Amino acid sequence: MKVENKRWSLDKFKEMRKEVLQEWPTGEEVELEEAIRYHQQQLSSEQVMANRLAEAEQEKITLIQPRAGVALIEEHIELLEFLHTEGGADLLPTTIDSYTRQNNYQEAEAGIKESRNEGRSMLNGFPAVNHGVQSCRQVIEALAVPVQVRHGTPDARLLAEITLAGGFTDFEGGGISYNIPYAKDVSIEQTIYHWQYVDRLVGYYEERGLKVNREPFGPLTGTLVPPSVSHSVAIIEALLAAEQGVKNITLGYGQCGNLIQDVAAIHTLKELGTEYLADYEDIMLTTVFHQWMGGFPQDEAQAFGVISWGAVTAALANATKVIVKTPHEALGVPTKEANAQGLRATKQVINMLKDQQSFNGEELATEKEMIKQETKEILDRVLELGDGDVAQGTIKAFEGGILDIPFAPSKYNAGNLLTARDNNGAVRFLKHGNLPFSEKVVDFHETKLEERGAAESREPNFQMVTDDIYAIGKGMLVGRP
Amino acid sequence: MKVENKRWSLDKFKEMRKEVLQEWPTGEEVELEEAIRYHQQQLSSEQVMANRLAEAEQEKITLIQPRAGVALIEEHIELLEFLHTEGGADLLPTTIDSYTRQNNYQEAEAGIKESRNEGRSMLNGFPAVNHGVQSCRQVIEALAVPVQVRHGTPDARLLAEITLAGGFTDFEGGGISYNIPYAKDVSIEQTIYHWQYVDRLVGYYEERGLKVNREPFGPLTGTLVPPSVSHSVAIIEALLAAEQGVKNITLGYGQCGNLIQDVAAIHTLKELGTEYLADYEDIMLTTVFHQWMGGFPQDEAQAFGVISWGAVTAALANATKVIVKTPHEALGVPTKEANAQGLRATKQVINMLKDQQSFNGEELATEKEMIKQETKEILDRVLELGDGDVAQGTIKAFEGGILDIPFAPSKYNAGNLLTARDNNGAVRFLKHGNLPFSEKVVDFHETKLEERGAAESREPNFQMVTDDIYAIGKGMLVGRP
Amino acid sequence: MEEKTVVLGVIGSDVHAVGNRILEEAFSEAGFEVVNIGVLAPQQEFINAAIETDADAILVSSLYGHGEMDCKGFREKCIEAGLEDIVLYVGGNLVVGKQEWESTKQKFLDMGFDRVYPPGTLPKEPIADLKKDLGIEG
Amino acid sequence: MEEKTVVLGVIGSDVHAVGNRILEEAFSEAGFEVVNIGVLAPQQEFINAAIETDADAILVSSLYGHGEMDCKGFREKCIEAGLEDIVLYVGGNLVVGKQEWESTKQKFLDMGFDRVYPPGTLPKEPIADLKKDLGIEG
Ligand code: B12
Ligand code: B12
C-alpha cells in the first residue's frame, strides 16, 4: 500500500466499505443512499453544522460548544438538551468513549451493560458504533442544533459511516491529529489511509449536495504545542480532506495562554489555510479555538478563571467557535451542571467582548510573521519530501522528525521536541529537534528562552518544561522556580 | 465658612477635633500621640499599606483585594482571615456598614445587638465607630497584611480618627466621591471641608513619619461613568489630599467593560495624576481598578465570567491593585466562601497574565489622548472657576454642572449627563450637559454614538441607556434592542 | 385610564439610585403619576408623600441589605396615618446576603406588604401587577 | 542505595502520556530504575515487564475514567504470575467524574492496590512512599 494524496475512485471506496461495515453488527444498518435521503429530508437547515458556522463567520461572532457524552441514549439526549437550554451551547457535541476510539466494541458493550447496572455512566463517552444508526438518529432528532462527533479514533471509518448515516453533520479528527496524540502503535501511513476513507465518505455526501463539516483536531497533545506545529498538521489534514472532496473545514488550535501568540495563531491559521488550499474550489474555512487543553487547577473558582481567559482570547481572536472546558476539568468527566457552568461563563465573556475592537500593534505583527514563516518552513519541507505529494511527504516527515509533536504517545513520532514558555508566557522551542527551521527562526526561539532563563537565573531545561506543565494547574502561566 | 484648598493649621484641626471626638462615646478612646506610638511600635512593615503598594508598583504586579465586613468583631476577624488564607487576598478591607456611613451610630448599635440575637450579621458592614479603637486593633493585630477602611461616608471624621488610631493604614473616600454617590442632601462644600479634616489627620500621621494611604473612590455610581468624569474627581481629591499633607495616594477607576478604554483609563489616570500633582513632593501614586461596579448577572457562572474579565483588564492595564467582586454580587452580601471564590478566580487570571506583554496600537493611543483631553478640559475649567483654588472651583463646578456624575442621588449634582455605550462597548457621552468640552470632544462622542445608533437603527436615547444598564446582568456588554 | 398615583422611594440609609431612576421612567411611561422621593427616605417621608398626593400605592425599594430592619412597622404606620387601603409593594435586595427567597418573601408579606419582589425584577412585572391590583384595564 | 526497579505504565485504552513522562523523569532522578511501558498498556504487559526486570513495584496510571474497569483483577493476575510480593500503586483520575475521594480510594484498596493516589498528586509523594514501602533509607 502506497498512500498518495489522490482522490479515491468510488470503486476503491466501495470495496473497502464492505469490510468496514462488517467490523461490528451495527454496520449492517448503514445504507448510503438511504442516509443521503435522510439528510435531505429529515434535517432542517439549522441542524447542519456548516450552515451555522457560515452564519457565525459572517456575523463575526464566536459560537460556543461543549464536550459531552455518556454511555446510554436517553441520558445522552438529556445531557445534550441540558447543555443547549441551560448552558446556552450554540453547537452540540457527541464525545465518543475511549473503548470505541480504540475499536474495542466488545469492551464498549460491557461498559453499556455496566452503566445500566450501576445507574451511572461507566464510559467516558457515547459508544456510537454499538448504539448504531437508528439510535444516533434519535439523538439528532431530539435536538434543534447541529451535533458533531468528537472523539480521538485512529481508525474511525465505521464510526464515521454510522454517525453520518445517523444524521451528524460534523466529524472531528484526521490521520495525524487522531493518531499521534491518541495511539502508540499505529503507523501514520495507516491512519492517513483510513482517514482518506472518512474524507472520501464525506466527499460523497458533498457530491450529493449535502454539507458535512470536517475538523482536524487542533490541540494535539494539548501540552505546550507551539502554533506552527499544530498549524502544519491542521493544514496537511485540510489538504488531505479537500482532495477527497471535503468542502467545509474547521481548522483548530489549542490555547497556549499568551494573548498575543494565541490571537496571532488564530489569524494565521485562517490565512495560511486559505493560502495552502487555494487550489481547491468552494472550500469554506472556519476556525475553532480550544480553551486551555493542558492540566487544570482543581479549584473550581480558579478553573473559572482559566475558562474565562480562554473565552476572552477566543473572542478577541474572533474564532468561529470555541470549545469550552468545565470547572470539573482537573477532576473528572463533568456533571451536566458543571458543563453548563463552563458554557455560561464562556458565553458571558464572549457576549461582553463580541462588539469590541480587535487590537493590533507590532507585537501581534511579529508573532504572526514568525508563525507563518515557521509553518511554511515545515510545510514546504514536507511537500518537498513527498515530491509534491502531501501524504507521502507527511509519512516521511514523521520518520525524519520534520513533523514532530511534543509529549505524544506514538512511537511513530520522533519525540525530539522540547517546548517551554518564554518570559511572556508564549510557547517556544527549547529543542526544535529536526524541524527544518531557518537560522532566523531558531535564533528567535533561542533568544526568547534565554531571556526567560536570565530572568530566572537558570538554564532552560527539562525542569523548566515540567514547571510549565504544572503551572496553570498551580495558578500560574509561566512555571517560575 | 469658605472652603479653600489651603493646608489647615494644627490649631484649626485640633479645635474641630474636640467636637468630632464627642460625636459618639468611643471617640474618647482616641489619643493621637498614643495612636502614633501604636503605629510605630505595633505595626510591622508588612502591615502598612503604602509599603505593600510600593512593592507591587516596583514588581509591576497587580494585588488583589476583596470587600468585606460583618457586624461583630470575632466574625469579622474570621472573615478576613479566611479571605487571606483561602482567597489569597493580598490586601484586606474592612467595609463599613451603611448606618455608620450615615453617622447613625444609634441604629448601628441596634444592628450589632440584633446580629448577636439572630446569630447572623444584620448589618451590611463593620460598624467601626461603635466598636471603637481597641476593637479595631484586635482586628489589625489578628492579620499579617495591611487593612484598609472602605466605606462611603460623607462625614468620615470620627470614623477616620477611630480606625487610624485602631491601626488601619489606608482610608478610602473623598469629599466628592463619598458624597455625590452616597448622599442626597449634603453640600459639596460641607464634605470637602470634612474630608480636609480627614486628610489633615492623615497628613499629621505622615508628618510624624507614618505612612497612611488615601484612596479616592474611583467608580462613583458604578454606572456608565466615563473615564474623564471619574478621573477629574479622582485628581481633584488627590490635590485636596496632597495639600493637607497626604503623601500616599491610590487613584481609582471602575471598569467600564471595553478593554481598550479601560486600559487607556488606568494608564491616563496615573499619567494625569502625576502631571497635576507635580507641585507636591514625595507623593507616591498608585492605581486601583475596580471590577465591574454595575449590575451583575445572578447566575454564578456568568458572574465568574464578569469577574474574570475584570481581572484580565486589571492585569493588562497593570493596575497596582484590583478590587474583586464575587459570584453573589447580584444577590446579596457574599458569604466568605463566595468572596474567596471571586478572589481565587481573579488571582488565577492575574497570575496567568502578569508576565504578558501589554499591547499598544493606535486605538489605545487615540483613547488615551481623548481621555486626557477631556479630563484637562474639565479640570482646567474647575481651576479657572476657583481662580486657581481647586476647592472653590469644585464647589462652583458642581453648581454649574461642570462637574457632573451620572445616576447620582445627590441634589448637589446637576444630573444632566446621559451616557451610553458606543458600538464597541466603550462608554460615551450621549448628553454631556454642561461639561466644558471642546467641539472636538463633543464630535468624537457624537460620532461614536451615531455609529451605534446606525448599527441598531435607532436614535440614541434614554432607552439605550436603560438597555446598557441591564446589559451585563443579562449577559451582554452592549444593550442591543 | 384614570391616572393613578404611586409613591416611589428607597428606604433607610440606602443610596442605590439607579433602579429607582429606572422604575420612575418605567412607571411614568406605563401611565402612572409617579412621585419619586428618591433615596435615603425614612418611612415617614413615604407616608407624607402618599397623603399629600392622595396616592394609590407605595413602592418601597431596599437594595443595601438593611431592608428587614428599615421596613419594620411600615404597614402599621400607614394605618395610623389613615392610609388603610394603600397598596404596598417592596422589592430589591431585601436582606443581607444570598438567602432562600421564599422565607424572605414571607417575612415581608408578614410585615403587611402586598407584594414582594426578588432581586433582578424588571419593571414590567410590578407594572402589570399594580394594574391588576388597582383594577386598571391592561 | 541498592537500585530498585519500578514498572510504570498507563492502563487500558488510555493515552494520557504527559503525567507518565513526568513520573518517569521524577522516579529516575530519585534513583529508581524505571521501566516505562507507556500508554495503552494491558494488565499483562505490566506483569510481563515486571517479571522480565524483576521489578519491586508496579505503578499504574489511569487518567481517562475507565480505571475501575481496567484494574479489576490486577492483583490476582500478579499473584497468578508469581508476583506475590510486588508493591502495587495506582493513581490518576481513577473513575468517571468528580466523585467522593474516600470511596474511590477504598474501591482500589479493595482491589488489592497498596496505595491509591488522587488527581493532582505530585511525584514527590509516591517517591517518598515507595522508599518507605521498599525499606529504602531517605
Ligand atoms: C492533556 C489531556 C488530554 C490530552 C492527552 C494527550 C496525551 N496523549 O497525553 C488529549 C487531548 C489527547 C486527551 C484526550 C482525552 N481525555 Co484527557 N485530559 C487531559 C488533561 C487536560 C491534562 C492531563 C495532563 O497531561 N496533566 C498533566 C500531568 C502532569 O498530570 P496527570 O496526567 O494528572 O499525572 C500526574 C498525577 O495524576 C500523578 N499520577 C498519574 N498517574 C499516577 C499513578 C501513580 C501510581 C501515582 C502515584 C501518581 C500518578 O502524577 C502525574 C505527574 O504529576 C486532563 C484534565 C486535567 N488534569 O486537567 C484531561 C482528562 C484526564 N481527560 C479526560 C478524558 C475523558 C479524555 C478523553 C476520553 C476525551 C476527551 N474529553 O477528549 C480523551 C481520552 C483519550 C484516551 N483514549 O485516553 C478526563 C478523564 C475523566 C475522568 N477520569 O473522569 C480528564 C480528567 C478531563 C475531564 N475532566 O474530562 N486528554
Ligand atoms: C451600583 C451599586 C452600588 C453603587 C450605587 C450608586 C448609586 N448611588 O446608585 C455604589 C457603588 C455607590 C454602591 C454602594 C453600596 N452598595 Co451597592 N450595589 C450596586 C450594584 C452593583 C448594582 C445596583 C444597580 O444599580 N443595579 C441596576 C438596577 C437597574 O437594578 P436594581 O437596583 O436591582 O433595581 C431593579 C430591581 O431590583 C427592581 N426593584 C428595586 N426596587 C424595587 C422595588 C419594587 C417595589 C419593585 C417592584 C422592584 C424593585 O427594579 C429595579 C429596576 O429594574 C448591586 C449589585 C447588583 N445588583 O449587581 C450592589 C448592591 C445592591 N450593593 C450592596 C452593598 C452592600 C453596598 C454598600 C453597603 C457597600 C458596598 N458593598 O460598597 C454600599 C451601600 C451604600 C448605601 N448606603 O446604600 C449589596 C447589597 C447587599 C445585600 N442586600 O445583601 C449589593 C447587592 C452588592 C452585594 N452583593 O454586596 N452600590
Side-chain angles (χ1 to χ4, degrees), chain A residues 236-421:
Chain A
I236 291 171
E237 292 191 357
L239 285 168
L240 292 167
E243 178 65 26
Q244 301 303 326
V246 171
K247 295 283 173 206
N248 297 286
I249 303 174
T250 306
L251 299 170
Y253 167 74
Q255 179 177 28
C256 279
N258 172 284
L259 180 63
I260 291 179
Q261 183 175 47
D262 287 337
V263 170
I266 287 293
H267 289 184
T268 51
L269 186 54
K270 181 86 184 278
E271 289 163 18
L272 287 165
T274 307
E275 204 177 313
Y276 276 90
L277 286 160
D279 287 347
Y280 294 96
E281 269 166 35
D282 301 328
I283 303 276
M284 178 179 78
L285 284 188
T286 49
T287 54
V288 52
F289 181 83
H290 293 252
Q291 288 178 352
W292 176 242
M293 287 293 290
F296 251 66
Q298 294 199 7
D299 175 66
E300 298 194 14
Q302 290 179 260
F304 273 117
V306 179
I307 289 168
S308 302
W309 178 227
V312 167
T313 309
L316 291 178
N318 196 219
T320 320
K321 69 174 186 179
V322 55
I323 304 288
V324 173
K325 289 267 173 167
T326 84
H328 283 185
E329 176 63 15
L331 292 167
V333 168
T335 57
K336 62 181 192 300
E337 289 79 14
N339 211 330
Q341 285 177 340
L343 288 164
R344 289 200 302 270
T346 300
K347 188 83 151 221
Q348 176 78 32
V349 171
I350 299 266
N351 278 343
M352 289 190 300
L353 269 73
K354 70 175 172 203
D355 301 308
Q356 303 198 22
Q357 331 72 323
S358 67
F359 58 94
N360 288 296
E362 225 178 287
E363 291 89 354
L364 185 66
T366 311
E367 206 60 47
K368 284 182 66 172
E369 191 196 307
M370 290 311 298
I371 294 175
K372 282 189 174 178
Q373 177 164 354
E374 293 167 23
T375 308
K376 283 182 184 172
E377 287 177 5
I378 296 173
L379 287 177
D380 290 356
R381 193 65 209 284
V382 169
L383 285 164
E384 201 182 299
L385 283 173
D387 275 333
D389 185 290
V390 71
Q392 278 301 311
T394 299
I395 294 162
K396 292 189 182 135
F398 269 103
E399 272 165 22
I402 308 295
L403 283 168
D404 198 350
I405 290 161
F407 287 99
S410 172
K411 70 179 195 200
Y412 291 90
N413 185 64
N416 293 329
L417 300 189
L418 222 48
T419 51
R421 296 187 184 282

Side-chain angles (χ1 to χ4, degrees), chain B residues 181 294 296 329 332-333 470, chain C residues 13 15-17 61 63 65 93 95 97 117 121:
Chain B
F296 251 66
E329 177 62 16
V333 168
Y470 285 125
Chain C
S13 296
V15 301
H16 290 89
S61 289
L63 282 306
N93 300 67
V95 290
Y117 297 87
T121 302

Side-chain angles (χ1 to χ4, degrees), chain C residues 11-72:
Chain C
I11 201 165
S13 296
D14 192 337
V15 301
H16 290 89
V18 183
N20 173 264
R21 173 83 188 272
I22 288 184
L23 288 173
E24 176 179 340
E25 290 276 329
F27 275 83
S28 301
E29 219 162 82
F32 290 94
E33 177 71 32
V34 177
V35 180
N36 190 356
I37 61 171
V39 304
L40 288 171
Q43 293 191 359
Q44 197 56 52
E45 215 172 295
F46 282 91
I47 291 170
N48 294 348
I51 293 172
E52 273 166 37
T53 61
D54 194 17
D56 303 281
I58 299 178
L59 271 60
V60 179
S61 289
S62 176
L63 282 306
Y64 73 152
H66 294 179
E68 212 174 324
M69 293 191 282
D70 295 336
C71 290
K72 263 189 203 149

Side-chain angles (χ1 to χ4, degrees), chain A residues 67 95 98 101-102 124 181-182 217 220-221 223 293-296 325 328-334 407 409 469-470, chain D residues 13-19 22-23 59-61 63-65 89-93 95-97 117 119-123 126:
Chain A
R67 290 189 179 79
T95 299
S98 291
R101 296 170 181 217
Q102 303 291 334
N124 59 13
Y182 285 99
F217 175 62
L220 302 172
T221 54
T223 306
M293 287 293 290
F296 251 66
K325 289 267 173 167
H328 283 185
E329 176 63 15
L331 292 167
V333 168
F407 287 99
I469 287 173
Y470 285 125
Chain D
S13 296
D14 192 336
V15 301
H16 290 90
V18 184
I22 288 183
L23 288 173
L59 270 60
V60 178
S61 289
L63 281 307
Y64 73 151
Y89 287 3
V90 67
N93 300 67
V95 290
V96 176
Y117 296 87
T121 303
L122 296 183

